[in-house]
Amino acid sequence: MSIVKFLTSKVFFKQLALAIVAVVVLCFFMLKWLNITTNHGEFVVVPDFKGKSLETVKIELKDNNLDFKLQDSANFNPNYPKFSIIEQNPVAGSQVKENRKIYLILNPSGYRKVEVPNILKRTFRQAKPQLQALGFKIGEISYKKSIGEGVLSMSHKGKPLEPGTLLPLTSKIDLVIGKVN
């Protein structure tokens, strides 16, 4: 039998119709299976966790069939309590599927510690921006007679401070500056 005769025969058209019906039925069952397994159209609204403790958040997540993952937090936010949630992703009000991971960032117990730079023998004009760039605040400034101008000593909360000491961000550093008469 030649190829042209086979392509125009009843057997070929029956097989072609059977294959088309099989593909349509298979696609129908696949779509139904996907709707069932992916919970199509079913969402959970993400609650607002900001400012809440981790224990409270765990209970809320369990009640909403959600999961969580803690991400590293390096920046202390004084507007929130210690060890509370300061950020979340996805944001509150978002619609997500069940068992979705919510990424949480905790507020640390305090500001991170930074090394105090060596500003001794530098002018106040040089020392001030260097301290402020690192996140420190300038406390009391006192002047003392000296041979040259510049920072003679540093202190924090009344205690002498050496360069290289670790202090929390936003700490106030008091300066004694030399004054030439």
Side-chain angles (χ1 to χ4, degrees), residues 43-104:
F43 297 102
V44 176
V45 177
V46 178
D48 188 11
F49 299 123
K50 287 186 178 180
K52 296 181 180 179
S53 70
L54 190 57
E55 290 76 27
T56 306
V57 169
K58 284 181 184 178
I59 293 168
E60 283 188 50
L61 286 168
K62 190 174 183 181
D63 291 345
N64 289 309
N65 293 324
L66 296 170
D67 198 8
F68 76 98
K69 181 162 175 101
L70 285 178
Q71 293 186 320
D72 188 28
S73 176
N75 298 327
F76 177 71
N77 189 336
N79 299 329
Y80 291 96
K82 294 178 182 177
F83 303 114
S84 66
I85 306 301
I86 57 174
E87 279 185 49
Q88 70 184 61
N89 187 17
V91 295
S94 299
Q95 292 182 341
V96 296
K97 298 285 188 179
E98 286 184 346
N99 300 319
R100 166 78 188 264
K101 275 190 184 169
I102 309 297
Y103 295 92
L104 304 172

Side-chain angles (χ1 to χ4, degrees), residues 12-150:
F12 174 73
F13 285 114
K14 283 182 185 178
Q15 294 296 323
L16 184 63
L18 191 60
I20 290 172
V21 169
V23 167
V24 169
V25 169
L26 182 66
C27 287
F28 175 77
F29 282 115
M30 284 291 275
L31 289 173
K32 287 296 179 189
W33 177 76
L34 279 173
N35 280 341
I36 292 168
T37 58
T38 61
N39 297 330
H40 183 70
E42 295 178 25
F43 297 102
V44 176
V45 177
V46 178
D48 188 11
F49 299 123
K50 287 186 178 180
K52 296 181 180 179
S53 70
L54 190 57
E55 290 76 27
T56 306
V57 169
K58 284 181 184 178
I59 293 168
E60 283 188 50
L61 286 168
K62 190 174 183 181
D63 291 345
N64 289 309
N65 293 324
L66 296 170
D67 198 8
F68 76 98
K69 181 162 175 101
L70 285 178
Q71 293 186 320
D72 188 28
S73 176
N75 298 327
F76 177 71
N77 189 336
N79 299 329
Y80 291 96
K82 294 178 182 177
F83 303 114
S84 66
I85 306 301
I86 57 174
E87 279 185 49
Q88 70 184 61
N89 187 17
V91 295
S94 299
Q95 292 182 341
V96 296
K97 298 285 188 179
E98 286 184 346
N99 300 319
R100 166 78 188 264
K101 275 190 184 169
I102 309 297
Y103 295 92
L104 304 172
I105 297 179
L106 278 179
N107 200 19
S109 62
Y111 288 106
R112 64 183 170 94
K113 294 192 174 191
V114 178
E115 190 175 307
V116 176
N118 186 3
I119 57 168
L120 298 176
K121 299 181 184 175
R122 293 195 181 173
T123 65
F124 178 68
R125 190 173 175 181
Q126 292 172 328
K128 182 180 177 183
Q130 189 172 0
L131 289 173
Q132 289 175 336
L134 291 172
F136 295 115
K137 293 184 178 177
I138 305 295
E140 291 183 31
I141 299 170
S142 55
Y143 295 93
K144 185 177 179 183
K145 287 186 177 182
S146 176
I147 297 173
E149 293 181 356

Side-chain angles (χ1 to χ4, degrees), residues 119 124 127 131 138 140-142 151 153-154 173-177:
I119 57 168
F124 178 68
L131 289 173
I138 305 295
E140 291 183 31
I141 299 170
S142 55
V151 177
S153 66
M154 302 179 286
I173 297 178
D174 302 326
L175 302 174
V176 176
I177 299 174

